[in-house]
Amino acid sequence: MLNMFLASSFSDVSEKFARYLKDFPNERRVTFIPTASFVEDVDFFVDEAKQVFKNLHFKIDELDISTADLSTITSTLQNNDFIYVSGGNTFYLLEQLKASGAFNALITQLDAGKIYIGESAGAVVASASIEYLSEMDDPAKAPSLTDYTGLNVIPYYPLPHYKEEPFSQITTSIFNKYNKTKDLIPLTNHEILAVKGTSLSVH
């Protein structure tokens, strides 16, 4: 069964994540993928996310999919019950997922019931296509990416940082442009999209 905890700002919903964990008495080991942040000037959210996991007594197994080989990626994903994918540039993230082979390995683990935690870019990449986010994230940071097809594990399109500065104007523009053609799920920095099987809740 698909289990996903999707957010705009993971540190801002840490209390909600702590409550979410009560449904999952798994061993607290997380594959921590910060790769999306590597092409961004601002990346404080990565350290903040690590601190959330540390506070909740997780063992953090960091995995950079832009440098790790497929064998390492596969074994690391298999060894941990939780998978966290950070914010950053969604196009670069998808480029590296596909170039490394992590794309299919990740889908396999989600199908096996691993719990997926996606922050911002990590949430968007779960949708069928990430093209709708091109106003917010620069596709030029992923020069080899020609196919914007996402993991396609959910039929929704998370819209992170909705009406939050400095993204208020951009997210409003994206919402107005795509809301009639895509099932957008706008998320403020203090909201989460929880997916369990085919059901979802925003709170």
Side-chain angles (χ1 to χ4, degrees), residues 150-200:
L151 294 169
N152 196 22
V153 291
I154 55 173
Y156 328 111
Y157 295 82
L159 179 55
H161 313 295
Y162 186 60
K163 293 189 175 181
E164 301 274 5
E165 294 301 340
F167 304 108
S168 179
Q169 186 173 343
I170 293 173
T171 53
T172 300
S173 173
I174 293 171
F175 183 84
N176 292 337
K177 184 176 181 179
Y178 291 102
N179 187 46
K180 292 182 180 179
T181 59
K182 296 185 184 297
D183 192 359
L184 292 179
I185 307 288
L187 296 172
T188 69
N189 286 354
H190 298 276
E191 291 178 316
I192 68 156
L193 167 59
V195 179
K196 190 170 187 178
T198 58
S199 66
L200 80 153

Side-chain angles (χ1 to χ4, degrees), residues 33-94:
I33 303 175
T35 308
S37 69
F38 293 168
V39 293
E40 299 293 284
D41 295 329
V42 176
D43 62 1
F44 64 88
F45 47 85
V46 174
D47 286 337
E48 288 185 345
K50 282 182 182 177
Q51 192 58 53
V52 171
F53 286 115
K54 288 176 182 177
N55 291 346
L56 292 168
H57 309 294
F58 272 78
K59 180 184 183 301
I60 299 171
D61 201 352
E62 189 163 335
L63 176 66
D64 174 15
I65 58 170
S66 70
T67 58
D69 59 43
L70 183 56
S71 176
T72 300
I73 290 170
T74 302
S75 62
T76 305
L77 291 173
Q78 288 175 342
N79 289 341
N80 303 306
D81 289 327
F82 294 83
I83 301 165
Y84 163 85
V85 181
S86 82
N89 185 283
T90 312
F91 295 89
Y92 178 72
L93 171 62
L94 185 59

Side-chain angles (χ1 to χ4, degrees), residues 96-117:
Q96 296 306 313
L97 282 169
K98 291 184 174 181
S100 65
F103 186 90
N104 289 327
L106 187 52
I107 292 173
T108 297
Q109 293 305 310
L110 295 181
D111 288 343
K114 297 295 175 75
I115 300 113
Y116 182 93
I117 305 143

